[in-house]
Amino acid sequence: MNDTVLRVNAVNKVVPSADDDLAILQDISFSLQQSQSLAIVGPSGAGKSTLLGLLAGLDVPTSGDIWLGQHKITAMNEEGRARVRAELVGFVFQTFQLLGSLTALENVALPMELNGQPDAQARARDYLQKVGLGQRFKHYPKQLSGGEQQRVAVARAFACAPKLLFADEPTGNLDQATGEKISDLLFELNQQADTTLILVTHEQRLADRCERVITIDGGRLVSSVGNASVVGDEKEHQDNNSQQPAAMI
Amino acid sequence: MTLVDLKLLYRDWRGGQLNLVVSALVLAVMVVSAVSLFADRVERGIVQQISQFLAADLAVGGVIAIEPAFKDQADALSLNTARTANFRSMVFAGEKSHLASVKAVSSAYPLRGLIEVANSVSANNVQALSTGPQQGEAWVEPRLLNLLNLELGDQLSVGYLDLTITHLIVNEPDRGTAFGAAGARVMFNYQDLPTTQLIRPGSRASYRLLLSGSETSIAQYQEWYRQYEKNEVRDGEAGGESRSDTGLQSTAAPHYQLLTPQGAQEQMGETFTRGRAFLLLSGTIGVLLAGLAMALASHRYAGRLTDQIALMKAWGQGASAVRKSQAIRLFAIALFSTLLGMLLGWLVHYLLLELAKELLNIELPAPSWRPWGVAALTGFVCVIGFALPALWHLPTIAPLKVLRRDLPSSLVGHGKRLSIGILALLILTAWYSESIVTAVLFLAALFALFAICGIVALQFLRLAKGLGAWQGSYLRLGLANLWRRRQHTLIQLVGFASTLMLLLTVVGMRTSLISEWEAQLPSDTPSHFLFNVANSEVEQVKGLLQEEDLKTTQWYPMVRGRLVAINGVDITPERLARSGGLSREVNFTQTDELPPSNTITQGQWWQQSPDGFEFSMEEEVASEIGVNIGDEITFSIGGLTMTAKLTSLRSVNWQSMNPNFYVIFYPGALDKYQPNWVTAVKAGGLANNQDQSLMYQAPFVGKMVQQFPTAIVLELTDVVARIRDVITQVTQGLELILVLVLACGVMVLFASIGVSFDERLRENAILRTLGSSKKVIIGALTVEYASLGAISGLIASIGAEIVLYFVQTRVFDLSAQWHPMLWLVGLLLGVVLITALGLLRSREIITVPPLESLRRLA
Ligand SMILES: Nc1ncnc2c1ncn2[C@@H]1O[C@H](COP(=O)(O)OP(=O)(O)OP(=O)(O)O)[C@@H](O)[C@H]1O
Ligand SMILES: [Mg+2]
């Protein structure tokens, strides 16, 4: 239960830019136990998504090391990391990322089908029921509301039973009430499935529900706190921001 | 894995994302397989017929009677022999006559194969006989009975010979490639030939000595013939004295030819390779357009797959797994589309056969594997050349793209895609035409055409933009759209304009060329030609025509012969072949008066009697064959040679429809060859002959054939009708192919609307939210597509008019003429077709409510 499932050591990310190299992340180190939940917070452009990508093995740091489970993914090539992702990792995205040509059921079943899981359909049904979409199997994403779409995405992520679930602003595109429901769902399923949850968020309420919160600012880890609110002065500004997209639709 | 890939493919298909790629591919394969199935079956049908072409193992063919020495040699080798003679002659019964294709056969005919005959018109009880007609019998093609109103058992006259019709010919082993358009067959016994009195020294006939026997004897005979030919050549070089060991006059040699089944097949084979290449190349334009549509549609498809692939990779699919999945999906698409295309092509080829039915009066065998091979190759090369480059980058998409959607994909560059596409086309055209050179030339010509169309189209676009600038509302909106997306606009314009241009040109040729040619004939154009009038008959025929109050052109004596040497040096067959007009036996005449439609361009028409023989030549053939004033040319006429000096060159107005000649001698030169006489008669007009019944015959024709049964009366109307038939059938076939090509052009339209679809959806949603009415948006789209259609139609009409101008003035020697119908059809077709299809494809842009559009694109 208390195994370290994620370990980050002195990670830097530098990208080439027009005149100078740009350091997006500098000297990030922390670790996380199995079944814990972690929120990554910070102002826009701080490097949160970049960090999440590195943690999930979607990208490689310029220097430093990352361990996912037993795997030192920074020492692996892309094919190796792909195997680790297939084994351990699930995702939920701000923009849902459902495939428009697939029904809800097919969307949930797809990653399992790709892994050759024989009971993909049954599990997909099961998880759609769990997120309260038992009546919507045959509906296409465009026939679902934003919240429903994100619920499908959550079902899709959990149906694969990942050890680690990465979520980049899972409620960012939703109004507050809907966002609330999605985060309820996330934590509920997280509890059931014993998953390690790592999420990037602007929403204080969501961050508050995580056991740990780390704050990134200007690419640096400025605080790492267990189960407490630490981003007070940012809060109002962030909330306004997160309302913006929902108001547009 | 495979099952999942197919599942994914099915879901893409269900979502309509594959529609365009698949339809474009199906169309391309359909065009190509229809054309090649058609060509293949026709070719094999004809080759199959040629394999029995000779009704013998070997034959000596000649345009003069076969010398006895050939038969003697055959007897010496104890080969079986038979004789045939083919020529055109009037056959008649009572008042009615027909210019038939007559064949006299000796009793041993056919040496190989059987003659299929029936005993009543309706009968299906076909008998196969191993011998031909007895003396006094006529075996005829069934249609002759209709033409002359006859029945089995009736009398039929051929020259001075009276025959009884005893059998109807269904098929004969050496019918060859005779097209249905030729005169009806009349076959009788060789021993009756002299009685007809049709064959005289100047008559035009082709003779054959058929041979059959053991393989060794046949080989020996061939060897003997080769030896004989070689001696001829050596003699020619030595100066032309005749040799004695073959017992033949050396000068007769050029008139003879050894015919083998293989030789005939090779000759036809070449013709057909060219025909097939021509048809396939016209299909290539369809492949090119379909390829373009596929490339555009694949680009869009790739865009839609990007998210899916990024997700798959984030979930842990490796690049190689994605590549494999991609390959499986593409293979499935290629396989499915190719099979469907082949199936549709199979159906369409029946349409082509139907159109060419009358032209190709042959039995068609099943196709070989080749057309299927061509179709399959087309399908797969198209996928690899046009679809794959657009999808190639997908497996390399970074999984990080799920978080950072702006991450660029490493697309295959446009230059590279273009090169790959052109390479694919090159491979296909080279395979179609069986020649790299043809392929390169064809593609170069095609791209040149595209370039010209493109440049013209760009000018029109500029004009349209300028026009839009001071017009209001949706007119401006539509024209601005056209200009803003001018790259795609140009692609569509070029595709449509060039296809429509070809279509209009072909339609123009079918509908107007012949009638324009007829309309431009001067009113004194003759309606009938009289051939084969004997020396002794000329005065009586003149009398008869005078009685009938008919005018004729000058009477010309005519013999047939060929060129054998220039300034004492033998003419090689290659040199002769440079001039289409002189490569075969041609008609010579002699006259002291320059024929009316001729003008001297070099040298002098004879003023007083020259010392030796002199002659005048038509300037074009003279330059083709490379002879000049003062050259001494040796001619062979009916096996005898004569040398004459070239003293003038003439230009000839062939349009005059008078008897015209390439070679005219000073009077007296041809006397010893017993020429026949020829003239042209004006009897009734040509203009209204389409209304007249096909059975109509000018009254003098009946009297002519009764009194002068060996004379040949050729009706110009018949000839024109026959040419019209051939042109109609050929062009209709081409039109069908081009309509399919046009459908490929429609795919390009759909694909390029597809490429800009999301953009249009967003723009129109914004316009609508800003308060533009639906009417404005429909109006703008209509303006856009209608202008696209109008410009395409305009360019197509201009192009077609230019092509027709050249055909009219250069090929037909007509004065140029506008074709307003063509312009109307071109413009209308362009506007209606493109507007209708464009709006159909864009209906979602119009009908989807703006809010939903924006949400869908979020
Ligand atoms: N590959 C790259 N090339 C250049 N700049 C990059 C690259 N990746 C990230 N950045 C920059 O690094 C910074 C951090 O980006 P990141 O997306 O991680 O921020 P974020 O904290 O997720 O912000 P937000 O809250 O707005 O999503 C941004 O300024 C971004 O433009
Ligand atoms: Mg972010």
Side-chain angles (χ1 to χ4, degrees), chain A residues 44-45 47-50 94 168-169 200 202, chain B residues 403:
Chain A
S44 182
K48 305 184 294 292
S49 297
T50 308
Q94 178 173 10
D168 192 4
E169 308 199 24
V200 169
H202 283 121
Chain B
L403 290 177

Side-chain angles (χ1 to χ4, degrees), chain A residues 49-50 52-53 57-59 78-79 82-83 85-86 89 91 93 95 97-99 101-103 106-107 110-111 113-115 121 140-144 149 156 168 249, chain B residues 1 4-5 7-8 10-12 14-15 17 304 307-308 311-321 398-405 844 851-852 854-856 858:
Chain A
S49 297
T50 308
L52 192 81
L58 295 174
D59 198 8
E78 164 55 24
E79 292 287 318
R83 269 195 304 275
R85 290 199 299 270
V89 174
F91 296 96
F93 307 98
T95 50
Q97 300 269 41
L98 298 181
L99 299 180
S101 58
L102 272 56
T103 62
E106 287 164 350
N107 261 296
L110 182 62
E113 286 175 343
L114 287 171
N115 285 336
Q121 289 281 323
Y140 287 92
K142 67 177 174 200
Q143 295 167 299
L144 301 171
Q149 287 186 47
R156 179 174 67 180
D168 192 4
I249 300 288
Chain B
M1 261 319 273
V4 182
D5 295 324
K7 235 182 202 173
L8 282 172
Y10 163 72
R11 290 164 184 172
D12 286 347
R14 189 183 57 186
Q17 291 168 39
R304 297 206 159 171
D307 284 347
Q308 186 186 333
L311 266 178
M312 281 170 66
K313 293 195 79 173
W315 290 333
Q317 299 287 309
S320 55
L400 189 62
K401 214 172 163 94
V402 290
L403 290 177
R404 295 182 47 91
R405 302 185 91 165
E844 245 185 301
L851 197 69
E852 199 190 319
L854 287 176
R855 206 178 84 180
R856 223 189 269 185

Side-chain angles (χ1 to χ4, degrees), chain A residues 5 55-57 66-74 76-91 162-164 166, chain B residues 313-317:
Chain A
V5 73
L55 300 182
I66 299 170
W67 282 264
L68 265 188
Q70 310 305 314
H71 311 282
K72 182 178 178 183
I73 57 170
T74 41
M76 293 174 155
N77 60 11
E78 164 55 24
E79 292 287 318
R81 288 196 304 276
R83 269 195 304 275
V84 174
R85 290 199 299 270
E87 187 192 329
L88 298 176
V89 174
F91 296 96
K163 260 210 159 73
L164 295 107
F166 292 91
Chain B
K313 293 195 79 173
W315 290 333
Q317 299 287 309

Side-chain angles (χ1 to χ4, degrees), chain B residues 149-205:
Chain B
N149 227 347
L150 291 174
E151 284 173 28
L152 271 173
D154 285 350
Q155 294 283 304
L156 180 74
S157 302
V158 183
Y160 288 99
L161 173 69
D162 294 328
L163 297 164
T164 310
I165 301 174
T166 57
H167 287 92
L168 298 176
I169 302 176
V170 177
N171 199 8
E172 55 185 78
D174 53 347
R175 197 185 68 166
T177 54
F179 287 130
R185 166 71 83 225
V186 172
M187 193 188 279
F188 58 84
N189 196 286
Y190 205 85
Q191 283 176 320
D192 285 333
L193 190 54
T195 319
T196 63
Q197 298 185 27
L198 285 166
I199 301 298
R200 290 192 299 263
S203 306
R204 180 178 185 168

Side-chain angles (χ1 to χ4, degrees), chain B residues 571-622:
Chain B
I571 305 180
T572 58
E574 293 77 41
R575 188 165 177 188
L576 264 185
R578 271 193 274 156
S579 156
L582 292 178
S583 58
R584 292 163 289 115
E585 303 268 321
V586 283
N587 300 324
F588 302 150
T589 192
Q590 57 183 12
T591 176
D592 53 2
E593 211 179 285
L594 184 65
S597 45
N598 288 230
T599 25
I600 298 292
T601 57
Q602 254 189 65
Q604 283 239 306
W605 188 252
W606 28 82
Q607 249 86 53
Q608 68 277 316
S609 65
D611 306 333
F613 294 133
E614 284 187 7
F615 77 101
S616 166
M617 199 180 232
E618 196 269 337
E619 57 176 356
E620 263 178 54
V621 291

